Amino acid sequence: MKPLNADLHCHSVVSDGLLAPAAVVRRAKLNGVELLALTDHDELSGIAEARAAANEVDLRFVDGVEVSISWGDDQTVHIVALGVDPQNASLIAGLFQVRSGRDSRAARMAAELDKVGIHGAYDGALRFVGNPALISRSHFARFIVEQGHAKDVKSVFDHWLAKGKPGYVEHSWATLQDALGWIIGAAGVAVIAHPARYRLTRTERRDLYSTFRDLGGRGIEVLSGSHNDDDVREYARVAREFGFLASRGSDFHGPGESRVDLGKLPDLPEDLTPVWSVLH
Ligand code: AMP
Ligand code: MN
Ligand code: MN
Ligand code: MN
């Protein structure tokens, strides 16, 4: 049977993507996506527009969100929630709480960047944000590129915004336990996003996977826009070992900024159980 072209991870202008929710949906359809989840960071408000657009173009749509959590010693981990009820009060309140830290974090980032000669970054980043509550490192990156300090968003992260670089500040996001409580309480399926991106020791990693599973987490992204072939093999292995459902998501943010476009990913290894087998 031909595998389903599912893309269960992408962003719109509601968080740090470049396209409106409806435009993301139309692009996904043109790219041949058959099942799409919009997973903006810490925010559900793009879902209504995206779902309406998906109905218009006859594309199966899953309500999603990507939740920022803190793990171990100041590590940020992202949990993709799929099939959540976007009206669920605890989920809405939880995400509100996660977003509420972003503004003061952005002010701290701007103060650090100022010390290394990048001035006016808070107001500058705000010019790139749709919703100020969702101000993120991506918006700072776009401002820094615009100012000519770097050639593209990726090199901004390499030089200024990644952990250990001058514009990086520590921040407490949600706990894994709280995030899984909100997601499962809203009837969602929790998936570890882009596992290759985390700089964790072997022990910390195994602890993350088993704690996530113990708390009711079900899936892991095996195919991601941030994974190379070796990563795909490794996270397929992790899915088998921990009994995780396998997910597939481009993490598309926008044309020209993302390496992988909507739906343009390889197929999942055939022996894995796709996460969409439990989504309806
Ligand atoms: P924040 O939630 O403010 O920490 O911003 C995180 C976002 O920055 C991610 O969702 C990505 O969109 C983007 N990002 C993180 N690391 C990189 C990187 N190395 N290159 C490009 N974008 C990145
Ligand atoms: Mn992002
Ligand atoms: Mn992410
Ligand atoms: Mn993402």
Side-chain angles (χ1 to χ4, degrees), residues 11 16 41 138 253:
H11 298 271
D16 60 349
H41 297 284
S138 303
H253 282 68

Side-chain angles (χ1 to χ4, degrees), residues 74 104-106 108-110 112 161 165-171:
D74 187 43
S104 61
R105 170 187 184 244
R108 286 184 288 128
M109 285 175 60
E112 294 302 314
L161 298 182
K165 301 297 172 185
Y168 179 87
V169 299
E170 290 199 1
H171 185 68

Side-chain angles (χ1 to χ4, degrees), residues 229-241:
D229 293 350
D230 285 344
D231 296 330
V232 175
R233 274 188 289 277
E234 169 61 11
Y235 297 103
R237 193 194 64 68
V238 170
R240 289 179 198 111
E241 180 184 343

Side-chain angles (χ1 to χ4, degrees), residues 33-61:
V33 173
E34 296 165 301
L35 179 68
L36 178 74
L38 178 69
T39 56
D40 275 310
H41 297 284
D42 310 321
E43 174 62 278
L44 300 159
S45 68
I47 287 175
E49 177 184 320
R51 183 171 275 287
N55 284 340
E56 267 174 38
V57 299
D58 195 24
L59 172 57
R60 268 177 75 199
F61 183 78

